Amino acid sequence: MSERYELTLEWDVGRVETVRAKSDQTVVVAALDGGVQLPVGCLTGACATCTGELLSGELHHRRPPRSLKPRHVDAGYVLLCIAEPRSDCRIRVGSKVQSELVENPWK
Amino acid sequence: MSDADTPHESAEHSHHDHDHHDHHGPGYSTPQAAIEESEPEELAYVMSLYVGTDVEAPDFVSVVDVNPDSDTYCEIVDRVEMPNHGDELHHFGWNACSSSCHVEGLQRRYLLVPGVRSSRLHVIDTKDRRNPEIVKVIEPEEVFEHDLSTPHTVHCVPEGKIIVSMLGNADGDLPGGFLELDHDFNVVGRWDPPGEIGMNYDYWYQPRHNVMVSSEWAAPKTFLPGFDLEDVEQGKYGRHLNIWNWETHEVTQTIDLGEEGMIPLEVRFLHSPEAKHAYVGAALSSNVFHIHEDGDEWAAEKVIDVEAREHDDWEMPVPGLVTDLLVSMDDRYLFFSNWLHGDVRMYDISDPANPRLADQVWAGGHFGPRTPIDGKREVFGGPQMIQLSLDGTRLYWTTSLFSSWDNQFYPDEGEQGSVMLKADVNPRKGTMTLDESFMVDFGDLPNGPARGHEIRWPDGDCTSDVWL
């Protein structure tokens, strides 16, 4: 029997949505079930389009997050297409989060 | 080629379910025939994207009216929405081109439209050119079964088959390979034996010389999240060309382009089936290499070097970033884009090993005018995907490279949307002039601003057709 948790999704522009998630559900799928379309791409953890920032709580990547570097993981970035909740969570979402992973290296 | 010597004519096409009775195959008998027989393009199909933005809508294929006599000139007259979010429509191609011009019953009618992020493949029927519709979707799981992902270049090949370059394995890691589809868009399987190559990107084949050339970007997990210079320093980006035996599907030679050839992307052979000359643009090094036969092997030499430029707002000189190039149908000119600088260049290649700069147009980018056309909207990204009319007199381009890379180098591109621009080309004089009456604004769409990427014409173009 899977546990149920509450996910609070927070956008930089002030939007906040709360959805319920089972512990065997990814954040992306749980959000969709709650009527929220998060940015997505490969849905396998290879492209980082769905990157979120874990503000509190615990998420578990069900596959290795190949598109995140150790520095990203250490900074709290998570791939929401392969991340399952292990507690109630607050997560920063929206396309801005992905764009923080890399900068213009020459500027 | 006459019907008498058509080695690839096969009986399987006799039952192909096409509702016309044309006894000619698709395309044109020669490149010169394409120039003579084609009508000016009236519609363009343009890959259009919302992936990686907060617009909660799928990517789509835009149908753009490019007929100057039309009431809806420069407008997006139809949008073919994908069934899912997050595909990143990027490159696409036809079910048939001049390489099957001897195959009766085959038509240039279906577009194979891959999602480079999703690994999903869509088949779009363009029978009604202004209102195309999706008729088949190949889901990612079916692609992953062959331990491939991240579909990129689509070329139809003789016998009505389609080959798609795949940039990674099912995990988004290396190696990549090639996926083969039959003429009914069923996945046949891998075209190449696993392990022939590591990285993959674009490819072009020249069947008369039994050769195919493929280039290298990086592992999907490396380039999809964005461009990280650390990955370049760790050797995670490509700098090789793979030369293939077209018939046996084996790599016969790998050419290391060296430090001057970092990230070789688009590969374009000359169109003449006799030609043994091709070009590839090394995006990061911002050089163009000439590929040619050298004895029993192939060789590649740098023939154009775009100098990095100092910019007041940048700590390091700005590379041009040669991200797309094409050869005119008459094989006289090479065009390429410098996406970070903001210019399109036109080179005379009548001596293929010694290209001569003929003309250059500036629009947007980090050095071109922000408002290239007085009274019209600002242009953020530089010229990127380019497409030329078959007669070589109209060059069009869009301004988005790739969602995650746009965000690094042109953050306004996603927020304001791309544009499509055009230059009038005079192939007799070797000149280009920005057409100030032409701009397609992808910033003004019902669901919000979109990016625009690759462009194709319904009747074939300078980056689609190959001749046997």
Side-chain angles (χ1 to χ4, degrees), chain A residues 7-104:
Chain A
L7 305 179
T8 306
L9 309 174
E10 304 181 10
W11 283 258
D12 287 359
V13 291
R15 180 183 175 193
V16 178
E17 302 277 357
T18 303
V19 298
R20 302 286 296 174
K22 291 185 274 188
S23 56
D24 59 355
Q25 250 184 336
T26 65
V27 176
V28 162
V29 169
L32 207 55
D33 284 353
V36 178
Q37 175 70 58
L38 295 174
V40 292
C42 68
L43 296 174
T44 75
C47 87
T49 311
C50 64
T51 303
E53 183 185 359
L54 185 61
L55 301 175
S56 69
E58 190 186 343
L59 288 170
H60 167 72
H61 283 131
R62 57 162 68 158
R63 298 176 66 170
R66 286 98 62 212
S67 52
L68 292 181
K69 298 206 161 85
R71 69 173 193 265
H72 299 137
V73 176
D74 292 346
Y77 291 107
V78 281
L79 298 181
L80 303 181
C81 75
I82 54 168
E84 304 167 342
R86 293 292 178 267
S87 73
D88 290 349
C89 294
R90 279 177 56 228
I91 308 165
R92 191 175 146 244
V93 299
S95 63
K96 279 280 180 295
V97 186
Q98 186 281 327
S99 66
E100 294 168 359
L101 298 181
V102 280
E103 298 179 326
N104 179 339

Side-chain angles (χ1 to χ4, degrees), chain B residues 108-401:
Chain B
R108 187 198 308 271
R109 171 170 159 181
Y110 299 95
L111 284 167
L112 187 71
V113 178
V116 72
R117 278 181 200 267
S118 66
S119 299
R120 188 177 289 108
L121 303 160
H122 312 84
V123 181
I124 294 184
D125 183 355
T126 68
K127 185 180 183 186
D128 181 350
R129 291 183 168 192
R130 288 180 79 97
N131 297 287
E133 57 178 10
I134 296 176
V135 292
K136 181 168 181 170
V137 178
I138 299 167
E139 293 296 338
E141 291 69 26
E142 196 178 342
V143 174
F144 298 152
E145 275 177 27
H146 301 277
D147 202 18
L148 292 169
S149 72
T150 324
H152 191 271
T153 300
V154 176
H155 278 299
C156 49
V157 306
E159 298 180 59
K161 290 191 271 190
I162 299 170
I163 310 292
V164 186
S165 64
M166 308 295 291
L167 308 197
N169 67 13
D171 285 328
D173 209 330
L174 298 175
F178 293 86
L179 189 72
E180 179 179 334
L181 280 71
D182 69 17
H183 58 267
D184 289 324
F185 311 104
N186 299 308
V187 174
V188 174
R190 281 189 86 111
W191 177 84
D192 56 321
E196 280 297 283
I197 54 168
M199 296 181 207
N200 202 5
Y201 181 68
D202 191 36
Y203 79 100
W204 195 287
Y205 66 102
Q206 186 71 317
R208 196 169 293 188
H209 302 299
N210 191 30
V211 67
M212 176 175 109
V213 179
S214 64
S215 58
E216 294 187 333
W217 194 357
K221 68 172 188 181
T222 302
F223 73 79
L224 288 170
F227 176 71
D228 189 341
L229 202 53
E230 190 181 289
D231 291 329
V232 177
E233 288 154 5
Q234 293 176 0
K236 293 181 180 173
Y237 275 92
R239 59 182 232 185
H240 298 90
L241 298 177
N242 284 306
I243 312 290
W244 298 72
N245 181 315
W246 173 242
E247 286 177 4
T248 65
H249 309 181
E250 290 166 330
V251 173
T252 57
Q253 187 189 349
T254 296
I255 299 174
D256 183 355
L257 298 174
E259 294 292 331
E260 299 264 46
M262 291 303 302
I263 314 189
L265 295 182
E266 313 305 323
V267 179
R268 313 292 187 204
F269 260 89
L270 268 58
H271 298 281
S272 165
E274 280 291 301
K276 296 177 178 176
H277 299 278
Y279 296 95
V280 62
L284 181 59
S285 303
S286 302
N287 295 319
V288 176
F289 282 73
H290 171 227
I291 306 163
H292 59 99
E293 206 176 40
D294 182 20
D296 294 337
E297 292 203 308
W298 290 79
E301 280 110 30
K302 185 182 78 168
V303 290
I304 299 169
D305 188 333
V306 176
E307 292 284 329
R309 287 179 62 165
E310 299 288 342
H311 191 293
D312 289 346
D313 300 337
W314 290 45
E315 284 181 18
M316 302 285 286
V318 183
L321 226 73
V322 177
T323 44
D324 192 23
L325 74 173
L326 64 77
V327 174
S328 62
M329 195 52 75
D330 60 9
D331 290 341
R332 287 166 57 195
Y333 291 104
L334 171 75
F335 295 84
F336 69 81
S337 55
N338 281 311
W339 185 60
L340 285 181
H341 284 182
D343 59 314
V344 183
R345 295 192 186 186
M346 174 180 184
Y347 280 77
D348 154 23
I349 52 166
S350 52
D351 177 359
N354 294 290
R356 176 186 67 92
L357 180 62
D359 206 358
Q360 196 169 9
V361 166
W362 289 89
H366 290 292
F367 297 95
R370 176 72 56 237
T371 309
I373 302 175
D374 284 345
K376 294 201 170 163
R377 62 158 279 187
E378 292 181 302
V379 176
F380 297 98
Q384 211 284 294
M385 291 311 292
I386 56 177
Q387 191 52 272
L388 185 66
S389 62
L390 287 167
D391 71 357
T393 66
R394 294 170 300 281
L395 183 78
Y396 301 76
W397 64 86
T398 54
T399 51
S400 163
L401 174 64

Side-chain angles (χ1 to χ4, degrees), chain B residues 332-333 335 346 358-359 392-394 423-433:
Chain B
R332 287 166 57 195
Y333 291 104
F335 295 84
M346 174 180 184
D359 206 358
T393 66
R394 294 170 300 281
D424 291 311
V425 180
N426 183 333
R428 283 286 160 207
K429 293 287 185 189
T431 58
M432 286 189 293
T433 313

Side-chain angles (χ1 to χ4, degrees), chain B residues 70-86:
Chain B
S70 163
D71 291 341
T72 50
Y73 185 46
C74 296
E75 290 181 21
I76 295 170
V77 294
D78 191 36
R79 289 175 294 124
V80 185
E81 275 207 344
M82 298 300 109
N84 298 86
H85 290 74

